[in-house]
Amino acid sequence: MAALAQQKQYTLGELYSLADQCSHDYPATLARKIELLTEVQVILGRKAAEAVREYKRIYAERKRVYAEAYIVAENLREQRAELAVIKLRNQEADAEADKVRWSNAVESNDQVINSLKYSLKVLLAEFGSSASGTR
């Protein structure tokens, strides 16, 4: 797989397209599909980590702006502080949605890989039994 990564940096779309072209009928092509989806898993993991980082960054910024607005306000402190962070709360919600989306993508892709590994195991067993003449 390292050879693939060294050859070219593929996008998620390109990797998915290459994986979709792999047949499930032969062990070699199924193994290739698993390799490609494993590379996808690495990219998805990075995207998930970036999304978590962005969510936490916006959360920290919201807390900072809230505290500053609370300190400056002379009356109705909580209400004024809440009004000061409305835009950040919306950004935080979007970032949290991205975080969940990427985490779900990682989990879903992991399940696909595990399913394909099982299919490969069955396929190898079938090829092994047909090669030895027993069916």
Side-chain angles (χ1 to χ4, degrees):
M1 194 74 237
L4 177 67
Q6 290 175 352
Q7 291 173 4
K8 179 186 176 197
Q9 291 294 334
Y10 289 95
T11 65
L12 280 174
E14 290 169 331
L15 287 168
Y16 277 125
S17 179
L18 289 169
D20 285 343
Q21 295 171 23
C22 295
S23 170
H24 287 216
D25 297 332
Y26 303 100
T29 55
L30 188 53
R32 176 73 174 140
K33 183 172 190 161
I34 292 169
E35 288 177 4
L36 291 165
L37 291 177
T38 300
E39 186 70 19
V40 164
Q41 191 73 348
V42 170
I43 295 170
L44 291 175
R46 287 184 187 134
K47 295 277 191 184
E50 290 171 14
V52 170
R53 183 182 308 112
E54 180 64 6
Y55 168 72
K56 294 287 188 173
R57 187 195 65 72
I58 293 170
Y59 173 82
E61 177 68 5
R62 176 180 61 82
K63 296 298 264 180
R64 183 191 64 76
V65 170
Y66 182 95
E68 289 175 353
Y70 188 90
I71 290 168
V72 171
E74 294 189 17
N75 58 19
L76 302 172
R77 288 181 162 195
E78 289 178 11
Q79 292 84 351
R80 292 180 195 281
E82 282 296 333
L83 289 172
V85 297
I86 288 173
K87 184 177 179 182
L88 285 167
R89 280 200 183 273
N90 289 330
Q91 291 174 358
E92 186 179 1
D94 291 342
E96 186 173 19
D98 282 344
K99 176 184 78 144
V100 170
R101 181 174 58 100
W102 287 113
S103 294
N104 287 346
V106 168
E107 185 177 327
S108 176
N109 194 63
D110 192 44
Q111 291 175 5
V112 169
I113 290 170
N114 286 333
S115 173
L116 291 173
K117 285 180 182 177
Y118 180 76
S119 295
L120 179 59
K121 192 178 204 179
V122 169
L123 195 58
L124 287 171
E126 288 175 0
F127 268 76
S129 67
S130 67
S132 66
T134 58
R135 277 200 158 225

